[in-house]
Amino acid sequence: MEHVPPPAEELALLDRELAQLDARRAHLLTRRAWLVGALQPQAPNAPRWSTPPVGHGWAPGQPWGSGPRTAKPSAPRSAQNVLLTLGGLLLTVAAVAFTLVSWGSMGIGGRSAVLALVTLAALAAPAVLLRRKLAATAEALAALALVLTLLDVYAIHAVAAPDADGLAFTAVASAVLAALWAAYGLALGKLHLPLPAAVFFVQWPLLLGAWAAGAPAIVVGWALLVTGVVDGAIALWGKGLGVRVTAGIGLAVMGSAALLVGLGESLTADGPLGALLPGALLLTAAVAALAGAWRAPDGYAQVGGAVAGLAAVAAVGGVLRAAVPGTWQVPVYLLCGLALLFVVRVRLPRSAGRGVLLAAGAVLAGALVWALPPVAAVLLGPVQLVAEVWAGEPDGFRGALGASMPWSEMAAAPVVLAVVAGGLGAAFRWWPALVRVAAPLITPGAKVRGAAGAGALGLGWGTLLLAAATLDVPYPVAVALETVLVAGLLAVAVLGVGAAGAAEGTGPGGGIGSAVRVSALVGAVGGAVSVGLLSLASEAATYAVFGALALLFTGAALRTRAVVEQAVLAVAAVVWGTVLTGCAARSLGLAPHEAAPLLLVVPAVTVGLGARLRRHPVALPVELTGALGGLLAVGLAVGRAPFLALVLALCGVLAAGAAVRPERRPVAGYLAAVLFVAATWVRLAASEVSVPEAYTLPVTVPALVVGVLRRRKDPGASSWTAYGPGLAATLLPSLAVAWTDPDWLRPLLLGVAALVITLLGAKYRLQALLLLGGAVLALDTLHELAPYVVQVAGALPRWLPPALAGLLLLAVGATYEQRLRDARRLKDVLGRMR
C-alpha cells in the first residue's frame, strides 16, 4: 500500500523540488550563455575569454566580461577603526607628554592659550566631522577631547589651585566634567562616547565630597545610595546601550557599597537608637530598589525585588536585633524574613514579587545554615564513645556529645528549626489554599509540596534532638527520646503521609508521599546509627537500643511493600542483629578470635531467611549483608589459625546450604568449595603438617572417582565441576609446600604429576586438567629454576634486561595483529573444551 503524505507535507516537498529545479535551470542557462559568447567571433581588442569562476552571478545570456565594472571595495571598517584608534592614541600620548614635560617651559599665558585652543579645537572638530559624515573620525577626536579635559583639570589644580584639597577639588572637577560631557553628548547626539563618560563622572562628586569633608560612615553611605539611585534612573531612562550599561555598572557598585555600609553600621550599633539611622538608609535603599524593580525588565526586576527584600530585613531586623540578647538575634532576622512572605498579598509586578520571595528564602536558608551545625554535632558527637565502650553513663546528654559546640550560645537554634519546620509543615498541610494565595506570583507544583513535607519532617526531628541537647536532659531520657524518634520516622516511612496526601491522590503511591517517605527512611537510618553510638556508654542501654532497633526495622520491613524500602530496612535489621551478637560475645568475656564463631549466627539466619524468600528481591541484599558478617568473623579469627580454620569451615557449611538453591548454586557452590579447601589448608598449617598429601590424597581420589561417574552420566558436564575440586585439593597445597621445601623430591613428584595431568587434559580436551596442571607445572618449574635465574641475572650487565624487554615489546608490537589472532584462537580452543 502506497503511503500518501498529508497535504501540507506534500506541498512542502513539492516546493523544495521546484526550488532545486529552478537552481539547476539557472546554472545550465548561465553555462549556455557563456558557451555561446565564447563561440562568437571576437573584436580585435576584445579581452580573451576565460572560464567563469564558480558563483560569478552574472545574468543568463550576458557575455562574460560585459557586465558593469564595479569599483574595488573600500578598506574594511575594522581597519579604519584601527587606524583611527592608533591616531587618537598617538595624539593623546603627545598631549600627556606636552602637559607633563613641556609645560614648565612656557609662561602662564602660553600655557592657558595652548590648553584652551587645543581643547576647544578637539571639542569643536567632531561637530564639523559629523556634518561631513565622518563619524568614526569624530569619535576618535572626542576621545582625545576627553583626555584633554582631564589634563586641563590636572593643569588647573597644579598651577591655579595647588593648595586646594585633592579630594574636594576632584569632587568639584568630576561634577563639572559630568555636566560638560552631558551637555556635549546631548548636543552631538550621534557620538557614542560623551554620555557614558558623563555617567562615569557622575559617580564621584558625592562620594569624594563626603570623604573630603570627613563625614561619618553613615553619611558616606547616603552619598553612595544617592549616587546609586541616580545611576538606576539613568539605567532605566537613559539613551543608548553604552549609557545604560555604564549606569548599570555604577548602580551595582555604588548600591552594593551603600548596602554594605548600612549593614555594617546596623550590626555594630550599640542599641536600637543607634540602629535607626542605618535602618533608615537600608529602608530607603529597599524602597528605591523596589521602585526600580517596578519598571525594570523581568530579570532585573527580580534582582531588584530580592535586593529590596534583603535590605528591608536588614533595616528592621537591625533595630530589633539591638534590643534582644545576642543568642536571639538570628530568630529576629528570621521573623523579618518570614514577614516578606506576605508580599503575595501585595499587588506587585510578578518578577519583583518573585524577587522578594527569593529574599525571604535566602533569609530562611541563612538561618538554617546557622542552626544546622549543632544538629550535626548531636548526631555525630557519640562517635567518641566507640573508643570507650561501656565506660559508664555520662552525667547528661551533653556529656555524651563532647565539648565540640558552645551549647550556651545555641539556645535559639531549636527555636529557628521549629519555626521553619512549622512553616513548611503548614504549607504542606494547607497546600491548596497556599497555591491559590500565591498564584499571582508563583505556581509551585507537587514536587515543591513534597520537598516542603520532607523538610518539615527532617527539621522537626532535628528540633527535638537539638532541644534535648540544649536542655541537657539526662542520658537515659536522651537514649529513649532518640529511639522513639526513630520509631516515629519508621512509622512515617512505612505508613506514608496519611490522609493529607491521600486526599488528593498523593499518598503512598504519589510523588509527595514518596518524598516524605524517603526523607523519613533516611532520617530513621541516620537516627538509628546515632542512637546506637549513643547507647555504647552503657551495657544495658546497648542491649535495649539495638534490640529495639532490630525489632523496629524487622517489623517495618515486614509491613512495607515497597521493594527498595523493604531492602534497606531488612539490611539495617541484619546489621543491628550482628551488633547484638558482638555485644553478647563481649558480655561473655570472649576474646576476638573466640567471638568469631558466635558472629556466624546472623549469617546462618540470613541463609535460612534466603531459603524462605527464595527469588524475592529482598533476599539477595539480606544474604549479602549476612555474608559481610561472616567476613567480619573471618577477620576476627585471623590471629588464631585453629579458630580461623573452624570459622572458614562453618562459612563453607553456610555457603553449601545456600548452594542447595538453584539460583545461588553458581556462586555459592564454588564459594563453599573454596572455603572448605581454605579451612583444610589452615588446619594443616596450624597442625604443622609437613606432608599434606597424606590428608589431601584420600580426598582427591574419591572426588575424582565421583567426577568420572558424573561425566559418564552427564557427558556435557564441565570438567571444572567434575575434576576441579578433587585436583585442587591436592595440587594447590602440595604446590604451597613445595615452594618452601628445600628438598628436590616433592617438587619433582609434583612436576611429574602436573605434567601427566596436563597431557591428559590436552588429549581428552578437558579444560580443568589442562589449565590446573599447566599452571602448577609452570609455577613448580619456576621455583626450581629461580636460583639459576637469579645467578644469571646477577652476571648480566644492568642494561641488558631493559634492552631485552624493549626488544620483546617491539616484537610484540610489530606482530600485534598476529598475536591477537593467536590469543583469540587459543581462547576459542579453550572455550570448546569441557
Side-chain angles (χ1 to χ4, degrees):
M1 181 176 180
E2 184 178 358
H3 172 68
V4 178
E9 183 178 348
E10 185 177 3
L11 179 60
L13 180 63
L14 293 176
D15 288 340
R16 287 195 298 270
E17 292 182 355
L18 289 173
Q20 293 175 358
L21 291 174
D22 290 341
R24 180 62 178 169
R25 184 175 184 275
H27 174 73
L28 294 176
L29 287 175
T30 301
R31 185 64 181 174
R32 180 183 181 280
W34 180 83
L35 292 173
V36 170
L39 293 175
Q40 291 177 355
Q42 301 180 7
N45 296 328
R48 296 180 60 85
W49 295 104
S50 61
T51 303
V54 178
H56 48 78
W58 103 96
Q62 180 183 9
W64 177 247
S66 63
R69 296 181 179 270
T70 58
K72 291 183 179 181
S74 60
R77 185 83 175 180
S78 58
Q80 179 187 13
N81 292 336
V82 170
L83 294 175
L84 292 174
T85 302
L86 289 176
L89 182 61
L90 290 175
L91 289 176
T92 302
V93 172
V96 172
F98 168 76
T99 304
L100 298 179
V101 178
S102 301
W103 183 265
S105 62
M106 300 180 64
I108 185 63
R111 301 173 187 176
S112 302
V114 170
L115 275 176
L117 289 175
V118 174
T119 304
L120 289 176
L123 290 172
V128 179
L129 293 172
L130 287 176
R131 283 197 296 270
R132 297 187 178 183
K133 298 182 179 181
L134 299 175
T137 308
E139 289 285 354
L141 288 179
L144 174 62
L146 176 62
V147 177
L148 288 175
T149 54
L150 294 176
L151 293 176
D152 288 339
V153 171
Y154 166 75
I156 292 172
H157 180 265
V159 175
D163 298 330
D165 181 68
L167 289 176
F169 183 85
T170 306
V172 175
S174 299
V176 173
L177 289 175
L180 171 64
W181 283 98
Y184 187 73
L186 293 175
L188 302 178
K190 294 183 179 180
L191 292 178
H192 300 290
L193 179 63
L195 290 179
V199 174
F200 174 77
F201 289 126
V202 165
Q203 313 301 315
W204 308 109
L206 293 179
L207 175 61
L208 296 180
W211 194 357
I218 192 65
V219 177
V220 175
W222 279 104
L224 292 168
L225 179 60
V226 173
T227 305
V229 171
V230 174
D231 288 330
I234 296 173
L236 287 175
W237 294 296
K239 295 181 180 180
L241 180 61
V243 172
R244 292 195 297 271
V245 170
T246 306
I249 295 174
L251 171 61
V253 175
M254 296 299 176
S256 301
L259 291 175
L260 290 176
V261 170
L263 181 61
E265 291 294 308
S266 177
L267 293 176
T268 56
D270 296 333
L273 294 178
L276 286 178
L277 288 178
L281 173 63
L282 292 170
L283 203 56
T284 305
V287 173
L290 194 59
W294 208 293
R295 297 169 177 82
D298 290 342
Y300 297 104
Q302 191 164 342
V303 174
V307 172
L310 293 175
V313 169
V316 179
V319 176
L320 299 177
R321 175 205 65 83
V324 299
T327 307
W328 298 93
Q329 293 178 357
V330 174
V332 167
Y333 285 104
L334 175 61
L335 293 178
C336 294
L338 292 175
L340 294 178
L341 297 177
F342 289 98
V343 73
V344 296
R345 308 295 296 178
V346 181
R347 293 184 178 180
L348 283 178
R350 188 177 181 89
S351 297
R354 285 183 173 181
V356 176
L357 291 180
L358 285 177
V363 174
L364 265 66
L368 289 178
V369 168
W370 175 80
L372 286 178
V375 179
V378 173
L379 292 174
L380 301 178
V383 173
Q384 63 174 344
L385 298 176
V386 176
E388 298 180 0
V389 178
W390 297 349
E393 293 185 4
D395 296 334
F397 194 8
R398 295 183 190 175
L401 302 178
S404 58
M405 291 296 296
W407 296 106
S408 59
E409 301 176 5
M410 292 295 173
V415 177
V416 171
L417 295 179
V419 170
V420 179
L424 293 176
F428 178 77
R429 176 63 180 85
W430 293 286
W431 186 257
L434 178 63
V435 171
R436 286 195 300 271
V437 172
L441 296 182
I442 56 174
T443 53
K447 291 183 178 180
V448 180
R449 184 184 184 186
L457 183 66
L459 293 177
W461 169 54
T463 300
L464 295 177
L465 291 179
L466 192 54
T470 304
L471 297 175
D472 196 18
V473 299
Y475 173 77
V477 175
V479 173
L481 174 64
E482 289 205 40
T483 306
V484 171
L485 289 177
V486 171
L489 291 173
L490 287 176
V492 174
V494 172
L495 301 178
V497 295
E504 300 180 6
T506 55
I512 296 175
S514 298
V516 176
R517 288 201 311 274
V518 170
S519 176
L521 181 62
V522 173
V525 174
V529 174
S530 178
V531 71
L533 294 173
L534 184 65
S535 68
L536 295 179
S538 170
E539 182 176 3
T542 301
Y543 280 108
V545 167
F546 281 103
L549 290 178
L551 292 177
L552 288 173
F553 278 82
T554 302
L558 295 176
R559 177 66 176 79
T560 187
R561 292 295 178 264
V563 174
V564 176
E565 296 176 4
Q566 194 175 44
V568 172
L569 294 170
V571 166
V574 173
V575 173
W576 311 143
T578 304
V579 175
L580 275 177
T581 56
C583 294
R586 182 179 177 86
S587 297
L588 295 174
L590 300 178
H593 61 276
E594 296 174 339
L598 184 60
L599 289 180
L600 296 178
V601 172
V602 175
V605 174
T606 59
V607 170
L609 186 60
R612 172 80 175 176
L613 296 174
R614 298 192 67 80
R615 296 185 181 275
H616 194 280
V618 179
L620 181 60
V622 169
E623 292 181 79
L624 290 178
T625 308
L628 292 178
L631 185 62
L632 177 61
V634 172
L636 292 176
V638 165
R640 295 293 182 91
F643 280 92
L644 178 59
L646 175 62
V647 171
L648 289 173
L650 293 176
C651 291
V653 172
L654 296 178
V660 174
R661 297 154 50 198
E663 67 273 12
R664 298 287 183 262
R665 186 171 300 155
V667 176
Y670 289 110
L671 180 61
V674 171
L675 289 172
F676 281 132
V677 172
T680 304
W681 297 349
V682 172
R683 181 67 262 180
L684 294 177
S687 302
E688 298 181 356
V689 174
S690 59
V691 185
E693 293 82 3
Y695 299 89
T696 58
L697 283 175
V699 176
T700 296
V701 172
L704 293 177
V705 172
V706 172
V708 171
L709 296 177
R710 169 73 184 276
R711 290 273 297 178
R712 287 182 179 178
K713 183 178 180 181
D714 182 13
S718 171
S719 61
W720 288 101
T721 305
Y723 307 121
L727 292 175
T730 295
L731 289 178
L732 297 182
S734 298
L735 179 64
V737 176
W739 268 74
T740 59
D741 191 352
D743 201 0
W744 58 272
L745 182 59
R746 176 179 279 108
L748 176 61
L749 296 177
L750 179 62
V752 171
L755 177 61
V756 172
I757 293 171
T758 304
L759 295 176
L760 290 175
K763 179 179 180 180
Y764 294 104
R765 305 180 64 80
L766 298 175
Q767 189 180 102
L769 276 67
L770 179 63
L771 294 182
L772 269 177
V776 172
L777 179 61
L779 292 174
D780 185 63
T781 305
L782 178 63
H783 171 263
E784 293 302 308
L785 296 178
Y788 305 102
V789 173
V790 171
Q791 292 178 3
V792 172
L796 292 176
R798 293 182 179 271
W799 57 267
L800 188 58
L804 294 176
L807 291 175
L808 177 62
L809 292 177
L810 289 175
V812 172
T815 59
Y816 175 75
E817 296 295 335
Q818 181 63 35
R819 302 288 77 77
L820 191 60
R821 287 192 294 269
D822 293 342
R824 289 173 179 169
R825 191 178 300 111
L826 178 60
K827 178 184 176 182
D828 295 338
V829 170
L830 290 176
R832 288 192 295 268
M833 293 183 177
R834 299 301 300 172

